[in-house]
Each structure stands twice: as structure tokens, then as C-alpha cells.
Amino acid sequence: MSRIYLETIIKADIHKVFDLARDIDLHQKSTQKTNEKAISGRITGLIEEGETVTWKAKHLGVYQTLTSKIIHMQKPFQFTDMMLEGAFKSMRHQHIFKPSEGKTLMIDIFEFESPFGMIGKVFNRIFLKNYLKNFLLERNKLIKSTAEK
């Protein structure tokens, strides 16, 4: 299993950052490069615990779909989504928020496993982990700039 850990300090209230991180519309703006669209489940607004969203996006030159579900939420401190269907063997993303002196520390813990056994593991190390890290950094950059306006 591969793991990506990111910390982003945002000069904004924890409630604002928490809501931006679960905003379907903002997520779609951050993923314009991959033409990512919510196509079923919750397709707009703020996703809640127990809800699903199915995304369609072009990654690595191929259109793919991925369905995830919010399996846990503790407002405004954390939520976790997990892949139900998609290209990964497994995927889980924890979003953690900690207030600190008028700022919010946003932590992403993104764990995933590719299919295809040993070939998938090699692909993870060589390419996929860095690709996904940059994907998350782009998303976090938009959350930060939006929250700090």
C-alpha cells in the first residue's frame, strides 16, 4: 500500500476550510486539467457522511470513473472517503483539520493500492505516487487560495 501525507497551513477558520475541502464544485474546479466531473451521487454542493459521488476524469490519456463514499465525518475536524469502485485495488483518503491561532492545519493522508500485483507496485513507485501527490497539491492550492480571500 502506498501512502501520501501532506500538510497545508491555511489562514482561515477551520469551518470554512472543512467545508471547502468537501465542496464538490470546488473539487471540479481544481481538477480542470483532468476534466473531472461528478456524474452521479452527490454532484454539487457539500458532501455529507454516508453519501457517495462518482467521478469521471481523464487520467493518463484514458477516461475513468471512480465512486467514493464518505465513511466517517466529525465536523469540522475530519472526514474520510473510501473508493467503492474504480481503477485502484483500494483507496482511502483521510482529511484532518486542526485549528491553530486563527489558522487551520489541513492534513491529507491518502492511501492507495494499484491492481496488477508486482507491475502495479513498480508503477506506483516510478510514476503514480508522484502523479497523485501533485493532483492533491493542486487541489489544496485552490482550497487555500479560496479560503484566504
Side-chain angles (χ1 to χ4, degrees), residues 25-137:
D25 304 300
L26 188 69
H27 181 83
Q28 290 179 110
K29 285 180 187 175
S30 75
T31 59
Q32 289 178 347
K33 291 179 185 175
T34 59
N35 198 28
E36 192 156 330
K37 301 286 181 224
I39 59 170
S40 69
R42 168 67 81 157
I43 60 169
T44 190
L46 303 180
I47 196 160
E48 298 288 348
E49 185 171 10
E51 291 185 324
T52 63
V53 58
T54 300
W55 301 99
K56 181 177 181 179
K58 191 173 188 178
H59 291 284
L60 310 174
V62 178
Y63 274 98
Q64 303 175 35
T65 59
L66 182 141
T67 301
S68 63
K69 180 178 184 176
I70 303 299
I71 60 168
H72 175 74
M73 185 177 288
Q74 181 187 6
K75 294 179 182 182
F77 303 106
Q78 62 178 318
F79 68 94
T80 302
D81 59 276
M82 186 172 114
M83 183 193 76
L84 300 178
E85 294 180 22
F88 295 101
K89 186 174 180 181
S90 67
M91 186 205 79
R92 178 183 166 105
H93 186 178
Q94 289 181 274
H95 308 256
I96 301 166
F97 307 87
K98 297 181 179 182
S100 177
E101 300 174 7
K103 299 176 187 172
T104 300
L105 172 62
M106 182 173 73
I107 300 169
D108 290 278
I109 303 172
F110 188 86
E111 298 171 310
F112 66 97
E113 189 172 357
S114 295
F116 311 121
M118 186 55 89
I119 293 170
K121 287 180 183 180
V122 170
F123 183 66
N124 279 359
R125 275 188 234 126
I126 293 172
F127 178 76
L128 189 58
K129 186 173 182 179
N130 196 49
Y131 176 83
L132 291 170
K133 180 179 178 181
N134 288 331
F135 184 82
L136 292 171
L137 286 169

